[in-house]
Amino acid sequence: MTRVLVVEDEALIAMLLEEMLADRGYTVAGHGTNLTDASELARTLDVDVAILDVSLAGEEVFPVATILRERGIPFLFTTGYGAAGLPPAWSGRPVFTKPYDIEPLTECLQQLVQHPVGVPDS
C-alpha cells in the first residue's frame, strides 16, 4: 500500500480526503494540520508521497515541502488558488485546485511514487 502524508488544516476536507484515499487503496500514514506538526511529520514519518495544502491557517506550507524534497519524498500541492498561487521556486510541481476530483489526484500520486519530481540527484 502507498503511504501518504496529508497536510490539510480544514478537518472536513482532511476527513473526506482520507476516506477517498482509503477507498482507493492508499494508507494515510499521518495528518498534519499546522506548520509545526506537519514539519515534524515530514521529518520523521515513513511515507511514499505527500499531499500539501498550500495555506495552513494563513501559514505557507513551503517549509514542509522543502523537508520532503530534501528527503526525496514526492508531493503535490492543493490550493484554492491554482498554480498561480505558487511562488516560482515551486513551479512545475503538481497542483490541484480545491475542490478537486479524487481520480486525477490519485493518478498523480501514483505517478509521483513511480517517477518522483524534483528528487535530489544522487
Side-chain angles (χ1 to χ4, degrees), residues 44-62:
T44 61
L45 205 58
D46 184 21
V47 295
D48 301 301
V49 67
I51 299 171
L52 308 178
D53 180 12
V54 171
S55 179
L56 300 173
E59 291 187 293
E60 293 182 330
V61 77
F62 305 120

Side-chain angles (χ1 to χ4, degrees), residues 9-10 15 17 20 26 34 37 43 50 57 63 65 75 79 82 86 91-92 104-105 109 119-120:
D9 62 341
E10 294 187 36
M15 286 177 14
L17 180 59
M20 289 187 290
Y26 292 83
N34 60 59
D37 291 345
R43 273 194 284 289
F75 56 89
T79 178
L86 293 181
S91 66
L105 186 124
L109 289 175
V119 172

Side-chain angles (χ1 to χ4, degrees), residues 9-116:
D9 62 341
E10 294 187 36
L12 184 57
I13 292 173
M15 286 177 14
L16 290 172
L17 180 59
E18 289 180 25
E19 183 178 312
M20 289 187 290
L21 289 170
D23 288 347
R24 285 156 182 83
Y26 292 83
T27 299
V28 175
H31 173 214
T33 59
N34 60 59
L35 193 55
T36 301
D37 291 345
S39 295
E40 181 63 21
L41 290 169
R43 273 194 284 289
T44 61
L45 205 58
D46 184 21
V47 295
D48 301 301
V49 67
I51 299 171
L52 308 178
D53 180 12
V54 171
S55 179
L56 300 173
E59 291 187 293
E60 293 182 330
V61 77
F62 305 120
V64 176
T66 299
I67 294 165
L68 293 169
R69 181 180 62 198
E70 290 170 354
R71 289 189 62 203
I73 297 171
F75 56 89
L76 60 83
F77 291 112
T78 63
T79 178
Y81 305 104
L86 293 181
W90 298 104
S91 66
R93 291 284 176 164
V95 179
F96 285 81
T97 304
K98 295 180 193 179
Y100 37 78
D101 183 353
I102 192 65
E103 294 304 327
L105 186 124
T106 54
E107 287 173 18
C108 183
L109 289 175
Q110 197 57 43
Q111 289 174 2
L112 285 172
V113 169
Q114 293 171 356
H115 308 285

